[in-house]
Amino acid sequence: MATNPSWTLRSYPTAMPTPDNWALDDRPMPEAGEGELLVKTLWLSVDPYMRGRISSAKSYAAGFKIGDLMRGGGVGEVIASGSPEFQPGQIVVSDYFGWQPFTVISAATAKIVTITDAPIQAALSYLGMPGLTAYFALLKTAAPKSGETVLISAASGAVGQIAGQIARIKGLDPVAVVGTDEKLAWCRELGYRTGVNHRTSPDLIADVAAACPDGVDVFIDNTAGPIHDAGMLNLNTFGRVVIVGTIALADRFDHPDIGLRHLRRTLITRARIEGFLLDDHEREYQTATTELLAWYKQGQLHTREDVAEGIESAPHAFVRMLKGENFGKQLVKL
Ligand SMILES: NC(=O)c1ccc[n+]([C@@H]2O[C@H](COP(=O)([O-])OP(=O)(O)OC[C@H]3O[C@@H](n4cnc5c(N)ncnc54)[C@H](OP(=O)(O)O)[C@@H]3O)[C@@H](O)[C@H]2O)c1
């Protein structure tokens, strides 16, 4: 019988996850039923939102139970189809790939990856969830005006590297917050004017102020924590703060992070603070993907991937990304 090494959730982490939170089980080759696809996994995406799925805390989507097969974004080749809309040989992307070499997904969650000039794994980065997040969080939710200063945290990552470049393309003034000097150098290459290393900064509030001498008009916050406080304390009148992610809480996910109370600051600046969820923009995905692909083909979008090899590396790749050890979009190649 063909085997299919698959990652099962073994325990909920109480602090920063470790690879021991999963176990590698040998499962039989799955079969596609009606409305399902059997897919050979080519790429897996490990994303910060999965931290919320391996917790019993309430979130915007149901999490995994102990003993569940771990699932997340992936790109693969259809081997057998139980749906008339898909044929063997097609490349598909879905948010529900098992962490396993052969996986069964519901056809309703799959989209055909149209072969473009971009590599297929771009469907998991700049032409997929992170790229679309950057696009809508910046252009739609923040709605910036030309020349405004845009502070972006986790600026060299999957979302941040695209958000900074869209800001540059749109004539904005992007400023990065990153965790290493190498990441800051890369952000400058992408078109960020300047930035701050939050892991070495002795005074994040002062360093953000120095990097943004005219203040912060738009804050794309991917992290929460002390970076959030520094952005808020440098916010301009009528500033817009988009809460995209809270990765700084990955090691204390189940505990509330109150931080500074910004009520007075919000009153003084009349700022708008809005939570962001990509799913709310689904009807406009096609428009955004077309524009992102056009920028990519014109050489206006550059991206960096951090690729782990083999199904065995999936939990390790996820944890290193949560710790900030990734440099660019973290992927697993099978
Ligand atoms: N709301 C939505 O619909 C949506 C969709 C997609 C992504 N997101 C969110 O967007 C954010 C970025 O996601 P991504 O896929 O682009 O990840 P990423 O930036 O590629 O990787 C995560 C990065 O977070 C930074 N980080 C880790 N721990 C940190 C800490 N304690 N303080 C500050 N920064 C820390 C690290 O960068 P440094 O080394 O630079 O610190 C790390 O490289 C995440 O919060 C994610 O949940 C939200």
Side-chain angles (χ1 to χ4, degrees):
M1 186 189 291
T3 55
N4 196 28
S6 308
W7 286 104
T8 300
L9 184 64
R10 181 151 68 178
S11 56
Y12 290 131
T14 50
M16 182 61 82
T18 70
D20 289 344
N21 292 122
W22 293 268
L24 193 59
D25 301 331
D26 213 1
R27 298 194 180 202
M29 181 70 88
E31 285 178 20
E34 201 181 324
E36 293 180 331
L37 309 176
L38 172 63
V39 180
K40 181 176 186 223
T41 308
L42 300 174
W43 293 89
L44 288 172
S45 177
V46 287
D47 293 281
Y49 77 85
M50 294 169 161
R51 177 64 184 90
R53 303 276 166 94
I54 54 168
S55 160
S56 55
K58 197 171 176 201
S59 190
Y60 52 81
F64 298 107
K65 296 190 184 64
I66 304 301
D68 279 356
L69 171 67
M70 188 68 187
R71 288 186 181 271
V75 164
E77 180 186 340
V78 177
I79 303 295
S81 172
S83 160
E85 289 166 44
F86 294 88
Q87 310 302 325
Q90 285 174 329
I91 302 295
V92 291
V93 60
S94 163
D95 291 334
Y96 297 94
F97 272 57
W99 282 12
Q100 50 187 176
F102 291 93
T103 196
V104 166
I105 54 175
S106 160
T109 72
K111 269 190 249 162
I112 296 169
V113 176
T114 315
I115 302 301
T116 63
D117 295 339
I120 57 171
Q121 72 272 23
L124 299 171
S125 63
Y126 50 98
L127 299 182
M129 193 259 283
L132 292 169
T133 297
Y135 184 98
F136 289 114
L138 178 63
L139 297 183
K140 206 157 171 223
T141 308
K145 299 179 203 77
S146 181
E148 285 191 324
T149 297
V150 182
L151 183 70
I152 301 173
S153 54
S156 72
V159 173
Q161 61 184 348
I162 303 302
Q165 292 178 92
I166 296 175
R168 174 188 36 77
I169 290 166
K170 293 291 181 183
L172 304 164
D173 174 34
V175 176
V177 183
V178 288
T180 70
D181 291 348
E182 291 73 25
K183 289 181 178 182
L184 189 48
W186 160 247
C187 284
R188 285 203 172 94
E189 276 180 44
L190 294 179
Y192 278 92
R193 175 175 52 78
T194 187
V196 174
N197 181 339
H198 69 93
R199 293 186 204 271
T200 56
S201 166
D203 183 343
L204 209 45
I205 298 162
D207 283 347
V208 169
C212 306
D214 298 325
V216 173
D217 300 301
V218 167
F219 179 19
I220 303 295
D221 188 7
N222 288 316
T223 61
I227 299 171
H228 176 80
D229 295 338
M232 287 301 293
L233 290 172
N234 283 288
L235 201 62
N236 284 337
T237 305
F238 298 120
R240 281 128 286 146
V241 181
V242 188
I243 308 294
V244 178
T246 60
I247 195 161
L249 311 183
D251 60 349
R252 54 206 131 110
F253 196 83
D254 301 334
H255 309 290
D257 175 59
I258 303 297
L260 290 182
R261 294 188 182 188
H262 295 299
L263 298 181
R264 181 85 192 142
R265 183 94 199 117
T266 308
L267 170 67
I268 292 166
T269 58
R270 285 89 84 201
R272 176 161 61 81
I273 305 172
E274 191 167 331
F276 177 88
L277 189 63
L278 179 61
D279 299 5
D280 297 335
H281 300 269
E282 198 172 351
R283 278 187 300 174
E284 292 171 80
Y285 282 179
Q286 196 48 55
T287 315
T289 310
T290 303
E291 193 160 21
L292 287 163
L293 181 60
W295 285 330
Y296 174 77
K297 284 184 176 176
Q298 292 157 9
Q300 296 209 68
L301 271 192
H302 300 275
T303 63
R304 194 173 172 123
E305 294 171 350
D306 196 329
V307 179
E309 300 274 344
I311 190 63
E312 298 78 11
S313 67
H316 178 72
F318 176 61
V319 172
R320 74 188 290 277
M321 181 275 302
L322 290 181
K323 290 180 174 171
E325 291 166 12
N326 63 312
F327 194 165
K329 169 63 196 158
Q330 182 70 61
L331 294 164
V332 178
K333 185 178 186 192
L334 270 72

